[in-house]
Amino acid sequence: MDIPAIGDAEELSCDVLVIGGGTAGTMAALTAAERGARVLLLEKAHVRHSGALAMGMDGVNNAVIPGRAEPDDYVAEITRANDGIVDQSTVRQTATRGFDMVRRLESYGVKFEKDEHGEYAVRQVHRSGSYVLPMPEGKDVKKVLYRQLRRREMRERIRIENRVMPVRVLTSPEDGRAIGAAAFNTRTGAFVTVRAGAVVLATGPCGRLGLPASGYLYGTYENPTNAGDGYAMAYHAGAALTGIECFQINPLIKDYNGPACAYVANPFGGYQVNRHGERFVDSDYWSGRMMSEFAAELASDRGPVYLKLSHLPEETVASLESILHTTERPTRGTFHAGRGHDYRTHDIEMHISEIGLCGGHSASGVRVDDHARTTVPRLYAAGDLASVPHNYMIGAFVFGDLAGADAARYTAHEGDLPADQVAAAHELIYRPLRHPQGPPQPQVEYKLRRFVNDYVAPPKTGAKLSLAVAAFERMTGEIAEMGATTAHELMRCAEVSFIRDCAEMAARSSLARTESRWGLYHERLDHPERDDDGWLHHLDLRKSPTGAMVFTARPVEPYVVPVPGFEPSPGPSRELGEVALVPVATAGERSAAPSAAGAAGPGAVTPAATGTAAAPAPGERLLRLVGLAEEEPDLDALLPYLTDPDPALRAAAVATLGETLPAGAGPALAARLADPAGQVRAVAAAALRELLEVLPAEPELAAGLRAALAVADPAVRAAALEALRALRLGDAVLYAASLADTDIEVRIHAVRALVSVDAVPALAAAAADPAREVRVAVAKGLAAVHTPAPEPLGPLLDDADPLVRGAALAALARTGCPAGYAARAVAALADPAWQVRAGAAAALGSAPAEEAVPALAKALAADVNADVRKAAVLALLRHRDAAPARTALAGATGDADADVRAYAGRAL
């Protein structure tokens, strides 16, 4: 392709430029438009399916739901997880605004798990707080957001340019404020400039930094399209970045670069163990300290490390499979099947991911204040790019909202764009076309990221980090010699330049912080101790006017929420300047390190062809339907497709109906539940589940759902029951009739529906159901009604199945466990099944202390099963006012199980 002239650039104008169409970027665009700004959203892929969120989201890690968690507790938790180095005012924004954001997302149609009464089903994963909110339909979040962007009132304010990749933020030569960006089209190669009143960076983390164990460039833990674009653009615009030495490192499935999902499995009873089946993680919140324990166990003779699931009953394993093999990673089931592994017989071997930079899951990012402002005027950062530690998805939405609201105050820049900055960006983009036979991007990127693994990944030393800096400086020339022939290859070459910038930032920052902190994230072998006196400071970096990377040690702001063990010291920042490298070119001492010589790039290699033949068009009707999806069709426009003779087209029409949500969508979806084709029914059921938060509870929808209860497909009947319950369109008589359904899953949904209307007599009658899964659901349901009582649990306490007895006993912890039931719970502590013993221990938490404490103390000291001892500790916490209970808890601080030790120690 030819290099376009600078003068031929397509120039765009807007009030607010949002770079990145993922989680934070979408929210920033919506909020800015709602405030009246003209918004331009640039995305190097396509907003419909770009960003990490498009890969699926199984739950929210940091939902502070009123009544279940307190904002101050969450702020303190994040402060401890980040070893005290945190701007609490930013974290507090997520803590206090997160619940409103959950409600806002629900109004869009995002579905969060709720109990039978419509309350959020928040789960406790960490030992000190309940923040995890599952998302049953999390795979569809991005589709829901795209539907909001395409609303008519938003389309009038938001212009979306897909396949346009910015490479530099443009700044005013007079005052340094952000005034636009330089970009190019990743399909045509056309040069694009943008003038803007404000710029929001929302490009995600630098997930493509370290090299995965597989060696595959795009087999990263994070979304591989996140190449550090925003980190590099912010740096070159003059913004400060902070915490770049605090890496992101995650546990993952061995040989499969996806998360092992302990977050998902923990509420179901899964947990991390060594090869002996022992829990070993003493740290609480997901942090670098936890990763240090993980790495040490993995390297010891107690390794490998596993996510243990094989002890769970069939129905629990099936539930986990439905989440882990769909929402989280659709290829995960295929991977396990290829190994011949099954969760029922094989626990999941775990390993450690490559390193990356991420604010949302660690702390490394662009420095922002509590309104998402960077240190460059009118430049904002949000999401995983911004340094708001452990901010996760809800934090990305919150800071996208904050950025959009603040940026909407500004109008488009009207002066000239700086010619020198535009020319430099043009050169960065198109220089690979000047030598198309130069080294191909995959080879150069592999070499660059191998250096990251060799010299930057923990454990770190000054010598290795200095070698890294030399390597990255040397590779600047090699990167400039990369060759390309297509616009797609230009995109990949630009990404390599971003990765190199991030690699140098990571190495120099790690050199500058001369201590160890954050566990594995910043472990310096040559500075092994944490130094709060000298280093309870943020480490900021920025680009100096001369182009050097310089550092500042910035004191941590006084805490809003006091946290024992950390006391920030106010005072001025320390200007550190450039970091000094360790002499590494010769052995022994040398008065001056030799200068780095330039190195020629590798020999020319013809790039492999990357194009693939386009798939044939599926048909004119389908193409017309796809076009309709972009035009916000009304229901009448979709009806011909919903009744098309081709079931594949009907299924696509149902998906479009769920995406565009015209008036009357609910009854139309309910009608398709009776479609003769299974694929259509499945799409309709999935769409209904996704849209439960936004569908009006109208009589026509109720009639369609009631009719669906007679459909032969059990998946349809289950979906109809779920919708009737969630929308409050059914009653006890209707739900009780489904207790006679032939399908177990439908009967379980009937049980949940009966709980939602507090139909205790009907629930009690279901205690005789032939299926164990249903009886377990009944036991849990009897404890979930608004006024639970122990008497209806009687038959279940005598059930022949140990899982049912265990669930019934555990339910007594909610209903109350008066004297007669307490005696049964004490007796059950001798049951052969550990599930029954664990349920009995839980029950005794609500029993009279004089009867419960001696039995629990005995179980805590003598039971061979760690889960039973854990249940005993948690029950004893409820009796901690009794001296014998405190004595038993004190003795448990030396337990072999990490969870038991942690809970006992926290209690004391």
Side-chain angles (χ1 to χ4, degrees):
M1 60 176 288
D2 295 328
I3 298 176
I6 293 180
D8 293 337
E10 178 185 5
E11 184 171 298
L12 305 175
S13 178
C14 61
D15 299 328
V16 177
L17 169 61
V18 178
I19 298 176
T23 310
T26 301
M27 188 58 67
L30 289 169
T31 296
E34 289 169 358
R35 299 293 181 97
R38 292 184 305 113
V39 180
L40 173 62
L41 177 57
L42 299 185
E43 168 56 56
K44 67 181 179 181
H46 193 293
V47 173
R48 186 196 297 265
H49 44 68
S50 63
L53 195 59
M55 300 170 71
M57 184 66 63
D58 50 57
V60 176
N61 297 345
N62 58 341
V64 182
I65 305 297
R68 297 302 303 275
E70 294 296 328
D72 284 1
D73 292 340
Y74 175 77
V75 171
E77 194 67 48
I78 298 302
T79 302
R80 285 190 291 268
N82 213 50
D83 277 1
I85 299 182
V86 61
D87 181 352
Q88 286 192 345
S89 67
T90 61
V91 176
R92 191 169 176 79
Q93 289 284 50
T94 298
T96 56
R97 293 171 175 262
F99 179 62
D100 287 340
M101 183 56 66
V102 168
R103 301 296 294 269
R104 179 176 176 179
L105 292 171
E106 277 189 321
S107 74
Y108 292 168
V110 176
K111 186 176 179 184
F112 298 95
E113 185 173 327
K114 295 182 178 179
D115 64 19
E116 294 83 357
H117 302 291
E119 301 295 327
Y120 294 102
V122 183
R123 295 174 178 174
Q124 182 170 357
V125 172
H126 310 297
R127 299 175 183 124
S128 58
S130 298
Y131 307 115
V132 176
L133 181 57
M135 299 170 65
E137 307 298 325
K139 64 184 184 299
D140 297 320
V141 178
K142 195 64 195 294
K143 182 173 70 174
V144 172
L145 292 172
Y146 187 67
R147 185 169 63 227
Q148 289 300 310
L149 288 171
R150 305 303 292 167
R151 283 166 42 217
R152 192 177 309 279
E153 59 269 33
M154 289 295 102
R155 293 173 74 167
E156 293 172 356
R157 286 280 178 185
I158 301 173
R159 175 176 177 176
I160 299 174
E161 288 291 336
N162 293 307
R163 315 294 179 187
V164 175
M165 177 182 180
V167 298
R168 288 290 186 264
V169 171
L170 304 177
T171 58
S172 167
E174 287 78 27
D175 57 13
R177 74 184 188 278
I179 57 174
F184 72 104
N185 189 296
T186 63
R187 288 288 174 83
T188 67
F191 190 48
V192 179
T193 58
V194 182
R195 60 179 65 247
V199 179
V200 179
L201 290 173
T203 56
C206 182
R208 217 162 87 218
L209 184 60
L211 191 66
S214 66
Y216 177 49
L217 295 179
Y218 309 109
T220 52
Y221 179 94
E222 287 285 353
N223 186 335
T225 64
N226 297 139
D229 309 34
Y231 286 77
M233 283 189 278
Y235 174 73
H236 289 291
L241 292 91
T242 192
I244 303 299
E245 70 279 17
C246 180
F247 299 161
Q248 178 190 17
I249 307 172
N250 296 285
L252 47 71
I253 301 174
K254 180 74 165 62
D255 298 329
Y256 174 84
N257 233 26
C261 293
Y263 262 115
V264 179
N266 185 284
F268 287 89
Y271 45 82
Q272 296 172 89
V273 298
N274 58 28
R275 69 182 178 91
H276 302 298
E278 301 162 341
R279 278 188 288 243
F280 60 88
V281 175
D282 283 307
S283 297
D284 184 11
Y285 205 87
W286 206 267
S287 63
R289 193 167 303 281
M290 178 181 286
M291 287 308 304
S292 286
E293 296 180 38
F294 189 99
E297 199 76 6
L298 192 64
S300 74
D301 65 349
R302 297 178 299 276
V305 169
Y306 299 89
L307 177 62
K308 186 165 184 62
L309 302 176
S310 57
H311 65 299
L312 300 174
E314 166 59 31
E315 49 268 37
T316 302
V317 173
S319 295
L320 280 168
E321 285 177 332
S322 71
I323 298 172
L324 299 180
H325 296 177
T326 55
T327 300
E328 186 57 49
R329 289 288 194 279
T331 58
R332 181 175 180 145
T334 305
F335 169 78
H336 290 310
R339 293 288 177 95
H341 291 176
D342 188 296
Y343 297 156
R344 297 154 187 83
T345 56
H346 291 73
D347 296 318
I348 302 171
E349 186 181 354
M350 301 172 69
H351 212 265
I352 292 178
S353 74
E354 69 285 346
I355 68 169
L357 303 178
C358 182
H361 292 75
S362 177
S364 46
V366 179
R367 177 183 166 185
V368 295
D369 66 9
D370 54 5
H371 286 278
R373 308 179 189 111
T374 73
T375 58
V376 169
R378 302 195 190 186
L379 179 64
Y380 300 80
D384 284 341
L385 169 69
S387 180
V388 184
H390 298 277
N391 218 23
Y392 302 110
M393 186 190 84
I394 289 298
F397 280 130
V398 166
F399 272 80
D401 176 54
L402 290 166
D406 205 74
R409 298 179 296 153
Y410 303 109
T411 56
H413 174 68
E414 295 182 354
D416 293 334
L417 296 177
D420 58 337
Q421 296 179 38
V422 172
H426 185 275
E427 174 63 18
L428 171 66
I429 295 167
Y430 299 108
R431 67 188 177 192
L433 296 178
R434 304 188 195 285
H435 29 76
Q437 301 304 312
Q441 163 263 331
Q443 291 185 13
V444 177
E445 182 176 334
Y446 182 93
K447 179 179 180 181
L448 170 65
R449 293 167 63 190
R450 184 175 61 80
F451 282 141
V452 171
N453 280 20
D454 289 346
Y455 297 133
V456 185
K460 311 172 187 178
T461 69
K464 288 198 299 182
L465 293 167
S466 298
L467 284 170
V469 171
F472 302 147
E473 288 179 339
R474 183 172 66 248
M475 286 201 69
T476 302
E478 298 178 30
I479 290 170
E481 294 300 317
M482 282 189 298
T485 60
T486 68
H488 178 83
E489 289 173 348
L490 288 178
M491 176 181 71
R492 293 297 185 220
C493 288
E495 287 176 338
V496 174
S497 74
F498 300 151
I499 296 169
R500 195 221 70 85
D501 287 344
C502 291
E504 182 178 353
M505 287 188 242
R508 289 186 183 273
S509 297
S510 296
L511 264 171
R513 183 175 286 277
T514 52
E515 64 157 357
S516 288
R517 190 175 289 268
W518 305 298
L520 190 64
Y521 296 167
H522 181 65
E523 180 185 355
R524 284 283 300 261
L525 295 179
D526 46 353
H527 296 282
E529 302 299 324
R530 194 176 85 187
D531 177 14
D532 281 351
D533 291 337
W535 276 110
L536 191 60
H537 284 65
H538 301 278
L539 180 65
D540 295 350
L541 71 85
R542 69 186 188 280
K543 186 178 181 179
S544 74
T546 64
M549 190 179 296
V550 294
F551 292 86
T552 301
R554 174 171 52 93
V556 174
E557 290 293 319
Y559 289 158
V560 179
V561 180
V563 179
F566 300 103
E567 295 184 9
S569 299
S573 296
R574 300 197 312 267
E575 296 299 332
L576 305 178
E578 294 185 59
V579 67
L581 303 185
V582 175
V584 292
T586 59
E589 294 185 3
R590 186 182 177 96
S591 57
S595 59
V605 178
T606 303
T610 58
T612 56
E620 290 185 10
R621 297 195 308 281
L622 182 58
L623 289 175
R624 288 198 297 269
L625 174 62
V626 171
L628 270 180
E630 296 292 325
E631 299 172 8
E632 294 193 14
D634 58 23
L635 185 58
D636 288 340
L638 291 173
L639 282 177
Y641 301 97
L642 291 168
T643 56
D644 193 274
D646 183 357
L649 189 59
R650 294 201 303 277
V654 170
T656 302
L657 181 66
E659 181 176 320
T660 57
L661 202 61
L669 287 171
R672 299 293 6 124
L673 291 174
D675 195 281
Q679 68 187 104
V680 180
R681 296 194 302 270
V683 175
L688 269 172
R689 284 193 167 99
E690 175 194 334
L691 298 170
L692 286 178
E693 304 296 340
V694 294
L695 290 176
E698 52 192 322
E700 190 178 355
L701 174 56
L705 293 173
R706 287 171 179 258
L709 294 177
V711 173
D713 187 343
V716 166
R717 300 197 299 275
L721 274 172
E722 182 177 349
L724 286 164
R725 173 185 61 78
L727 296 172
R728 298 294 190 264
L729 292 174
D731 53 41
V733 175
L734 178 70
Y735 299 148
S738 292
L739 290 175
D741 198 281
T742 56
D743 185 78
I744 292 174
E745 190 67 23
V746 174
R747 300 204 299 275
I748 290 175
H749 277 284
V751 168
R752 295 198 70 206
L754 288 167
V755 173
S756 72
V757 293
D758 292 321
V760 174
L763 280 171
D769 194 281
R772 175 180 77 183
E773 302 94 320
V774 178
R775 301 199 302 279
V776 168
V778 170
K780 295 178 179 178
L782 287 169
V785 296
H786 280 117
T787 54
E791 290 77 15
L793 291 166
L796 297 167
L797 292 168
D798 295 322
D799 198 278
D801 190 281
L803 290 185
V804 178
R805 296 200 305 279
L809 284 161
L812 289 173
R814 292 281 302 277
T815 67
C817 187
Y821 292 91
R824 299 184 67 171
V826 171
L829 287 173
D831 196 282
W834 71 265
Q835 295 93 339
V836 175
R837 302 198 305 277
L844 289 172
S846 62
E850 61 273 12
E851 203 166 352
V853 171
L856 289 169
K858 181 179 178 181
L860 181 56
D863 200 291
V864 297
N865 186 278
D867 286 310
V868 176
R869 301 198 304 277
K870 178 180 175 180
V873 164
L874 294 173
L876 281 167
L877 293 180
R878 302 175 68 176
H879 297 294
R880 71 178 77 188
D881 291 339
R886 293 195 297 274
T887 301
L889 289 168
T893 56
D895 195 278
D897 183 80
D899 273 4
V900 175
R901 294 195 302 271
Y903 281 114
R906 187 177 293 274
L908 297 174

